[in-house]
Amino acid sequence: MKEISGHTRLFGILADPIHHVKTPQRMNEHFARLGFDGVCVPFHARPAELAQVVQGLRQLQNLGGFIVTMPHKTAILDLVDEATPVARKIGAANVVRRDADGRLTAHMLDGEGFVGGLLEAGVDPKGRSAYLAGAGGAANAIGFALAQAGVARLTIANRTTAKAEDLKARILSLLPDARIDIGTADPSGHDLVVNGTSLGMRDADPLPLDAGRLTPDQLVCEVIMQPRDTALLQAAAARGCRIHHGAPMLACQIALMAEMMGVRA
């Protein structure tokens, strides 16, 4: 491990739970490649204390910024001074830059990272039909990104239909020609099936969709990184589906996150 000194720039990731996060490892590898004197560490912050934690982070003079993951991606927007137009439209953010005066600016990169991961795996979403489970933080960003990538049809399924309808309306306000449907737990009839929820992080979690309706011609995708093979991916593989893990979404964001937080080679 590199030596940490009073000159080292600090970065963190806010999450609850925290055990599953892989971002600090990947970010520290990125800093090492750049020769940048920085370190990223996990910060376990529960929702009830999030505002206090963020207020404290403002005061740390050697903090360059922090990454935000489940369940804080939506709540963080109310705690920063500024958010990029994309983050405001999506309604969530996953990276925050701290300026020298303590001012906080948020941005959302999940969607770019997810689509980038698909492209690196040789899967172009353009012209395909996509089913998205969830309408929260990460799902919001992925929904926008899939529509911007040119999917032929996007179906949004969420336990609370009103949230799915809201996401549909926000995407259409930016991309009025997009075809967007509100779906059920049935993912059949789509080329891409994406879990954009946190269901699968815990052993007792129910599946985010009806896996019994999956067919071998579908690609089933995760945003969860730990466990690597979630119950959904295991169920999809058992039904003969191709699977796409959560890690590529993060890998495609690391350099973008670092740059957002002011890290340069």
Side-chain angles (χ1 to χ4, degrees):
M1 182 176 177
K2 71 176 290 295
E3 182 176 271
I4 297 173
S5 72
H7 298 286
T8 303
R9 198 78 174 140
L10 304 184
F11 302 85
I13 177 169
L14 301 178
D16 179 36
I18 199 74
H19 69 272
H20 65 287
V21 297
K22 300 295 184 183
T23 307
Q25 299 94 308
R26 304 293 85 79
M27 189 63 74
N28 290 326
E29 290 167 358
H30 182 67
F31 291 160
R33 284 193 296 271
L34 294 180
F36 177 79
D37 186 7
V39 63
C40 182
V41 298
F43 297 148
H44 189 182
R46 293 189 173 92
E49 286 84 43
L50 181 64
Q52 292 171 277
V53 170
V54 171
Q55 183 59 27
L57 292 175
R58 285 181 182 271
Q59 317 309 321
L60 294 179
Q61 300 302 308
N62 56 348
L63 183 79
F66 51 91
I67 296 147
V68 183
T69 191
M70 300 173 186
H72 304 314
K73 292 180 181 181
T74 299
I76 196 66
L77 287 183
D78 291 330
L79 303 174
V80 298
D81 302 294
E82 186 178 351
T84 61
V86 171
R88 286 292 180 200
K89 185 70 74 171
I90 290 170
N94 73 334
V95 60
V96 177
R97 182 182 70 246
R98 181 194 177 278
D99 293 331
D101 60 358
R103 185 174 178 81
L104 301 179
T105 301
H107 185 43
M108 179 50 124
L109 290 166
D110 273 343
E112 295 173 48
F114 179 77
V115 170
L118 285 180
L119 292 171
E120 286 196 355
V123 179
D124 189 344
K126 187 174 182 179
R128 300 175 186 250
S129 59
Y131 173 97
L132 175 63
N140 270 270
I142 290 168
F144 272 86
L146 287 172
Q148 289 174 317
V151 293
R153 172 169 60 106
L154 174 63
T155 298
I156 304 169
N158 193 68
R159 285 177 297 181
T160 306
T161 304
K163 288 186 69 174
E165 292 281 6
D166 177 65
L167 176 55
K168 173 182 176 179
R170 284 183 284 116
I171 295 173
L172 290 175
S173 72
L174 186 68
L175 302 163
D177 295 329
R179 178 183 169 185
I180 304 176
D181 300 324
I182 303 300
T184 65
D186 180 1
S188 61
H190 296 81
D191 303 312
L192 307 175
V193 176
V194 184
N195 175 30
T197 78
S198 61
L199 293 175
M201 288 173 57
R202 301 171 181 85
D203 291 339
D205 285 347
L207 291 175
L209 50 88
D210 184 357
R213 303 286 294 178
L214 294 171
T215 52
D217 58 324
Q218 294 176 306
L219 175 66
V220 179
C221 311
E222 265 290 4
V223 299
I224 293 170
M225 277 159 271
Q226 187 66 28
R228 180 176 186 269
D229 291 298
T230 61
L232 173 62
L233 292 186
Q234 293 178 49
R239 295 189 65 82
C241 302
R242 292 175 297 147
I243 61 173
H244 182 78
H245 294 94
M249 183 176 82
L250 172 61
C252 288
Q253 292 183 73
I254 290 296
L256 296 174
M257 285 177 165
E259 195 170 308
M260 170 68 189
M261 294 187 292
V263 176
R264 301 290 188 274

